[in-house]
Amino acid sequence: MNKAIVAAVTVRVLRQLRRDRRTAAMLLVLPCVLITLLWWVYDGQELVFDRVGAPLLAVFPFIVMFLVTSVTTLSERTSGTLERLLAMPMGKLDFLAGYALAFGAVAIVQGLLTTSLALFVLGLDVAGPAWVLAAVAMLDGVLGTTLGLFVSAFARTEFQAVQFMPAFVLPQLLVCGLLLPRDQLPDALRVASDLLPLSYAVDAMQQVSMHAEWTTDLGRDVVVLVGFIGGALLLGAATLRRRTP
Amino acid sequence: MQDLVVVRGRRTVLPGLSCTLRRGAITGLLGPSGCGKSTLIRSIVGVQQVDSGRVEVLGQPAGSATLRSQIGYVTQEASVYDNLSVRDNVAFFSRVLGVPVSDEDRVIEQVGLADHGGSLAGQLSGGQRSRVSLAVALLGEPPLLVLDEPTVGLDPVLRVELWRLFADLAAAGATILVSSHAMDEAARCDDLILMRSGEILAAGTPAQLCDAAGAQDIESVFLKLVRARGEAA
């Protein structure tokens, strides 16, 4: 990988985001609005808010980052700029790493904002340390980014890219353990949920909210999440073709 | 280039082309839209999946990693970022190519956009956007410039200026391939390749082509060649 090229891509993507106020707001403000709305829904039922608040801190950044990244990279494919870049001395991983770093930086800011809001303003009560909660939220945002980078290869238009949201994310949401603990799911669904990344994201948040100390389950979740992030990046690189039909 | 065959989907776009470009010359690739010009150009740049045949560029097989910094490529659609300014667009690509920062002002100047450096590419007119795309291709003074319809939709004054720029670059040693569907641009090229339906009708200097066909201008040459083929078939 070429550090200068990765940095150039990162700076450019962030610069584009700065110009695009609406997307920037969607990335940073929307998750905060959603978590506030959740708090309001459970007004007077702090225990329920404590139970679902942390897992949803994993889900919101995941969904938002997934959506924005898949559409952004797709427009790079359709506008011809990707073809131009790949005709230049740019490595496929340089391109993806540049994107992952830019949106990863956004995910970090987003994770800090939403967790601080939830913990210090809305009074979310978690057993584990705040920094772990924030770190896992960021990891989930980065996961959404890398999966968005990957699936954008399978869409031809922005409209198709948006369709991945209900097709790819909502089923994960149903079986990730948010509605029903995963060990109570029917066997086939439990196996399916074992294979899906969002299950580990939600489980990690549940671990943080229930246990004051670092648990082996939390460790496993983090390792799996990092594995999914790396895997999605490599698969994403495999979908980039210098020569196209 | 030898026996180049490209099949896209079920359609054979290029059934087997052979041609050569003269170094330091402007070669015009002329033909109606849909005749395979862009596919030929993409094959030279190395972004087209090729079914068979051999394309050699500057002594290397097309698509080689070492060629990537030596070809300036302008696609038909302006491939630039609409939500970045002209200067930010050029600056990004110059960093990817690793060319000196001083080059950025030079190329913006060369395409006549010095007054629009701060404008967003998406707010420019179509002609201006394609010039931003051209500016990016000029970064690093590549020895080969491959331009797919760079003068479409430009006002005549600008067109003349761009052709003067191409002539200057060629005089400085660059090899330039320009595609166009406007036959009147033929006169500005050193060499011509006339294409129709994926085949090369004729290649040579404008004077050679006119003499051979006994015609006054390239448009008539083109018509005569097409008719001759029709009769032969």
Side-chain angles (χ1 to χ4, degrees), chain A residues 16 76 83-84 243-244, chain B residues 42 47-48 62 81 83 133:
Chain A
Q16 282 179 293
E76 183 111 37
E83 172 169 306
R84 169 167 242 169
R243 285 181 183 270
T244 49
Chain B
R42 285 166 43 84
V47 295
Q48 176 69 51
Y81 299 97
N83 50 5
S133 202

Side-chain angles (χ1 to χ4, degrees), chain A residues 14 18 37 41 50 63 72 82 86 90 96 110-111 143-144 154 156 166 175 181 187 207 227 238-239 244:
Chain A
L14 289 175
R18 208 184 55 197
L37 192 61
V41 166
D50 286 344
I63 291 180
T72 314
L82 180 63
L86 290 178
M90 148 129 7
L96 288 175
Q110 188 191 59
L143 175 70
F154 303 99
R156 281 169 192 274
V175 300
D187 286 346
Q207 294 290 326
T239 65
T244 49

